[in-house]
Amino acid sequence: MQDRVPVQEADLETLSSSAVQPGNSAGLGAYGDLEAFSDLDLDDLAIAAASLCRTPIALVSILDGDQLWFSARVGTDQTYGALENSGCAAVIARRAPVVITDMMADPETRRNSLVCGAPGLRFYAGYPLFTAENEIFGTLCVVDLQKRPQGLSQREHDGLAALARQTMRLMELRRETIAQERRLAAQQLRRKRVAREARQAEAERRQAREKYALHQAAGAAGGVGIYEYDLVSGDITVSPEVCRIIGMPVTEVVTAPQWAQRVHEDDKARIPLLSELLDGSAPLKLEYRIVRDDDRKERWVLRQGVLDRDATGRPVRLIGTLQDITPEKNATSRLTTLLAVEDALRAATTRRQALTEACELLGRRLEVQRVGFAAITMRDEVFTIDHGWCSPDVPPISGVFTFQTFRRTSNFLRSGAVLILDDLSNPSWMEEEQEACRALGVEAQIIVPKMDHGELTGCLFVHSATPRDWTLDETSFIRTGSDRIFTALDEWEAEARQEIVNHEILHRLKNTLSIVQSLAHQGFRNVDDQGPLATFTSRLVALSAAHDLLMRRNWQSTDLASLVRGVLTPLGVEERVEVSGPFLKLGPDTATSFSMALHELATNAVKYGALSVPDGKVSLSWTITGAEAVMTLKWRETGGPPVTAPKRTGFGVRLLRSGLGRHGKTELHYASTGLCADLTAPTLSLATL
């Protein structure tokens, strides 16, 4: 059995000038595709190899994965062959020339189907093809159908090695050619791209110039289009600006019916008839809505014009201007809505009423499906929705929702930023909340967080059942409305907390007055005359009544009429005192002084004056006069017993004369018909003290 015949080391040195690593093989990327190496020059090299070695078959094989592609071949039409069990596999594995004298005797090649079967290959001699990078690229080999125990002669070895080198040089030249072709192709592509970009830049510059010119023209005209309506033919000649306003392609003429089609359905009745234009009864200045052709959006326009008449005075043309006034209309409408929201919040008597009315105003103005407020508890991580508004075709929502259900939204709102979502389907980060949102009928929304000292405490939400491109004006409007609602809610909460505090203070004050009254009873227990005790107790009651009024108004102020009722009602004489006078505000200190003075007058009348007899009456009135707004209060008793001036000035008289303090004045007259008391003071001091 013949073995593989080794080749001299000198032959290897002629093929590779430096050592290479076993197993390396060159790819075809740098050489192009396989078809690039099929040419007559390679075929000539294969023919020369077959002639030199006197074999019927010669191949230039290129390694292609686990196969060999025969780029040049003599004696066979086969273009591909398997690398496994081939003679070339040994060359590539050893990275050295290999001669197999009998392929049937070789343990590897004898399993090759071309050896053990037809055509029955027997002899093989192959030289490796190295790239300039010392990587195996393929082989140059000769094959015979007969065994050759003698192998190759030295002349055949040298010749085959030279042909292998020439084959690889030809391959390298082809690689350089391909690389050059690629560079040229890349340069051409770059030139084409640069030219295309230049053309695009020029087109953009031209478009920018045209757009700039158009903007300049529109700015010069104030965004106003010009039209001329021929009342005879019905044709309307329009400027490009008119076409832009109504969203139609630029044209010169539209007909009256075509124009009428663009008028909003609800405003068509406002458009004057031709007969009204002809008889001069039609308004020449008119505001109405149109529906644009291109985007089907509603716009407000202002149409103004003058009638052009013929020689007989008959109108023949309406010439005028058309202006888009939608921004002005929207701004006015938003301002009106915000004022209405403030009025609703101010006039509401309950927190629920305030939220419901304010949310409804916002929702109807924005034409959305739902607006509401949710209180947020960070400790429990829940939204609580209890108040809001929704359109009739949308079910209301209420109850408690967890942060987990709306985790993304919750995390976003914690930062204090406003969530603006045009389309639920667009942002990928909202995918996990899409099902929960669509269950509520939400496709677009804006949520404004309510922050208190850096903590999220609530949010105002605006829901749309369809995707919506929120404008900057709409977003600003919602934020402004939210600020007003949040401020009102803070005031409601502050008032609620203050009311709790006031109740507690009033409770403690009454307890204190009760203790004082108890002490007085104990002090007068062994005194025969209990009159002073009764007087003292009634004065405590009057003081308590004044405090009740002030507490109900957060200890800020009260009014005189309410104070009079509070003093007279406990005495049971309110029906016998005729009270009249304008509204008069009283400060906390003044209210206390007034209550004591009025109580003294009323109890004195019950004991000794007009109210001590069945037919006696009292008139209590006050007026405000003069540039300095001076209040004058008159107490007049009639129908009672005769009155005389007291011989001794007691505490009650001193209390009445001290009256309203240093800013006031009190005069007492003991007339025969009954006691008369006049109290005067500037209203400014009464309201501020």
Side-chain angles (χ1 to χ4, degrees), residues 224-257:
V224 177
I226 302 172
Y227 69 90
E228 181 178 326
Y229 180 17
D230 190 325
L231 302 181
V232 178
S233 66
D235 292 338
I236 305 175
T237 304
V238 296
S239 68
E241 186 67 15
V242 171
C243 299
R244 186 194 65 81
I245 291 174
I246 64 178
M248 64 178 292
V250 176
T251 185
E252 293 184 359
V253 178
V254 296
T255 64

Side-chain angles (χ1 to χ4, degrees), residues 562-625:
S562 299
L563 186 64
V564 169
R565 288 193 299 270
V567 172
L568 298 180
T569 300
L571 299 176
V573 296
E574 68 275 11
E575 299 296 333
R576 301 178 63 186
V577 179
E578 182 180 352
V579 181
S580 63
F583 176 83
L584 181 60
K585 182 180 178 182
L586 302 178
D589 293 341
T590 306
T592 303
S593 300
F594 248 122
S595 67
M596 299 299 290
L598 290 173
H599 180 268
E600 196 64 33
L601 289 170
T603 54
N604 185 69
V606 170
K607 291 180 179 180
Y608 314 109
L611 299 182
S612 64
V613 296
D615 296 332
K617 292 183 179 180
V618 175
S619 172
L620 174 60
S621 62
W622 61 91
T623 57
I624 301 174
T625 58

Side-chain angles (χ1 to χ4, degrees), residues 321-549:
T321 60
L322 188 77
Q323 183 178 5
D324 188 343
I325 60 171
T326 305
E328 292 82 356
K329 278 286 187 179
N330 287 341
T332 301
S333 179
R334 287 193 295 270
L335 180 59
T336 302
T337 302
L338 290 176
L339 292 175
V341 167
E342 291 182 350
D343 291 340
L345 294 173
R346 186 166 45 250
T349 57
T350 64
R351 181 176 183 273
R352 184 183 186 89
Q353 178 188 359
L355 276 175
T356 302
E357 293 181 359
C359 291
E360 180 176 1
L361 288 168
L362 294 179
R364 293 192 182 280
R365 172 65 189 86
L366 293 166
E367 296 182 353
V368 294
Q369 282 65 53
R370 188 184 293 115
V371 180
F373 178 81
I376 296 177
T377 306
M378 293 298 297
R379 182 186 60 188
D380 300 330
E381 293 191 341
V382 295
F383 300 83
T384 304
I385 302 175
D386 52 359
H387 304 305
W389 168 87
C390 62
S391 59
D393 56 334
V394 173
I397 58 175
S398 61
V400 178
F401 297 87
T402 65
F403 278 21
Q404 189 62 31
T405 305
F406 300 99
R407 183 176 62 85
R408 291 281 190 174
T409 299
S410 305
N411 292 337
F412 189 92
L413 293 177
R414 289 184 186 187
S415 66
V418 178
L419 174 64
I420 303 174
L421 186 65
D422 294 334
D423 189 345
L424 186 66
S425 302
N426 280 340
S428 58
W429 59 272
M430 281 294 291
E431 288 182 358
E432 61 185 81
E433 296 183 15
Q434 286 181 3
E435 184 178 351
C437 288
R438 290 197 169 110
L440 301 176
V442 179
E443 289 294 337
Q445 63 179 338
I446 290 181
I447 305 179
V448 182
K450 182 179 183 294
M451 308 295 291
D452 290 333
H453 304 290
E455 182 177 352
L456 181 65
T457 60
C459 64
L460 184 88
F461 55 85
V462 178
H463 289 169
S464 173
T466 58
R468 178 163 177 161
D469 185 12
W470 301 104
T471 66
L472 180 61
D473 289 340
E474 290 173 335
T475 304
S476 177
F477 171 69
I478 293 172
R479 295 188 67 167
T480 305
S482 300
D483 290 342
R484 284 160 170 73
I485 292 175
F486 293 164
T487 300
L489 290 177
D490 289 340
E491 291 177 355
W492 278 96
E493 292 173 1
E495 289 180 3
R497 289 193 298 268
Q498 186 62 46
E499 185 176 357
I500 294 174
V501 172
N502 287 346
H503 279 299
E504 181 63 23
I505 293 174
L506 182 60
H507 176 69
R508 292 176 182 268
L509 179 60
K510 287 185 175 182
N511 286 342
T512 302
L513 293 178
S514 297
I515 293 172
V516 172
Q517 186 177 12
S518 177
L519 291 174
H521 277 282
Q522 291 179 9
F524 283 88
R525 182 172 52 188
N526 298 323
V527 178
D528 295 334
D529 185 5
Q530 294 293 311
L533 177 61
T535 301
F536 179 75
T537 302
S538 63
R539 288 171 180 165
L540 285 179
V541 172
L543 184 62
S544 177
H547 287 171
D548 282 343
L549 289 173

Side-chain angles (χ1 to χ4, degrees), residues 67-89:
Q67 288 190 324
L68 295 170
W69 180 72
F70 307 134
S71 62
R73 51 195 176 275
V74 173
T76 179
D77 294 327
Q78 188 172 345
T79 58
Y80 274 91
L83 177 63
E84 187 179 11
N85 299 324
S86 67
C88 293

